[in-house]
Amino acid sequence: MDQRASEQLARLWTESQPVVASFVLSVIPDFHQAEDVLQQVAVVLVREFDRFDASKPFLPWALGIARNLALKSRRDVARHSKLLFSDVVLDQVQSAFEENDDTLLAMRKLLRHCLGQQPQKVLELLQWRYAHDLKPNEAAQRMGITSGAVRAMLHRAREALRKCIRRNAQVVVEWK
């Protein structure tokens, strides 16, 4: 891949990666498995970029690759567990992500902004709970607090994030 193609792929992937990551996480609930699939998507995009038709949108192409890799990963895991939903539902989720990519990117920016307003201890808890997929009891042990305190902090954090996103989303809509 030449320098120009490499820069084009980097730009396109940087713009699309949050939506592709959201799609993968919506169809593969295990964070670590989803992370592996997302890395595989990036590798395939690099390997296959010379086949990409630049006259067409990049996101649907990347989502198609993500869909195929997610299906493969789900099939591999299905040997050991129960599938959560059918391939038809997976197709519908992919279509929804393609249709709403601008909205999803805007919401992700709002969430990032609102997370930036949270205290460090809350961010640490959110990281343990959602990025590391720890149950409240496990997060409580890691943080040295009670599981009741974790549940209360999570409730307050989710409520604060919800209010912040709503407030800022209204500002964005009014601004447009």
Side-chain angles (χ1 to χ4, degrees):
M1 181 182 315
D2 67 11
Q3 176 82 17
R4 186 169 165 248
S6 188
E7 289 172 1
Q8 181 184 19
L9 173 60
R11 183 182 53 77
L12 292 169
W13 178 238
T14 300
E15 291 170 358
S16 300
Q17 189 271 344
V19 175
V20 175
S22 296
F23 167 73
V24 170
L25 283 166
S26 72
V27 298
I28 299 179
D30 179 81
F31 177 78
H32 300 293
Q33 181 187 357
E35 196 173 56
D36 289 345
V37 169
L38 190 61
Q39 289 174 1
Q40 292 169 11
V41 170
V43 169
V44 170
L45 290 173
V46 169
R47 190 178 325 126
E48 302 291 325
F49 190 65
D50 60 333
R51 295 182 186 180
F52 171 65
D53 181 354
S55 69
K56 295 182 179 175
F58 180 80
L59 181 62
W61 183 64
L63 283 171
I65 291 169
R67 178 191 179 281
N68 291 338
L69 291 170
L71 277 172
K72 181 184 179 307
S73 179
R74 286 166 34 100
R75 286 184 190 119
D76 292 345
V77 170
R79 290 185 204 126
H80 307 290
S81 63
K82 184 175 123 182
L83 279 177
L84 298 176
F85 42 78
S86 71
D87 294 352
V88 173
V89 173
L90 186 63
D91 290 340
Q92 292 170 342
V93 172
Q94 177 184 349
S95 294
F97 271 83
E98 288 175 13
E99 292 169 9
N100 296 301
D101 63 325
D102 290 339
T103 303
L104 293 169
L105 287 172
M107 293 301 288
R108 187 176 175 91
K109 286 179 184 176
L110 284 173
L111 178 59
R112 190 175 298 126
H113 167 76
C114 292
L115 282 168
Q117 297 178 351
Q118 296 298 308
Q120 186 61 38
K121 188 158 182 120
V122 171
L123 293 175
E124 179 183 350
L125 173 60
L126 293 170
Q127 184 78 16
W128 283 121
R129 177 65 184 104
Y130 297 110
H132 298 291
D133 199 27
L134 293 183
K135 303 291 182 221
N137 291 341
E138 296 167 318
Q141 287 177 338
R142 298 272 175 114
M143 296 181 72
I145 58 178
T146 67
S147 60
V150 164
R151 286 182 180 86
M153 282 177 64
L154 285 170
H155 175 75
R156 286 192 302 269
R158 287 189 294 257
E159 193 60 34
L161 291 171
R162 186 178 302 115
K163 286 178 182 177
C164 178
I165 288 170
R166 282 187 183 141
R167 182 177 57 251
N168 286 290
Q170 288 175 352
V171 170
V172 170
V173 169
E174 291 171 5
W175 183 68
K176 286 184 177 183

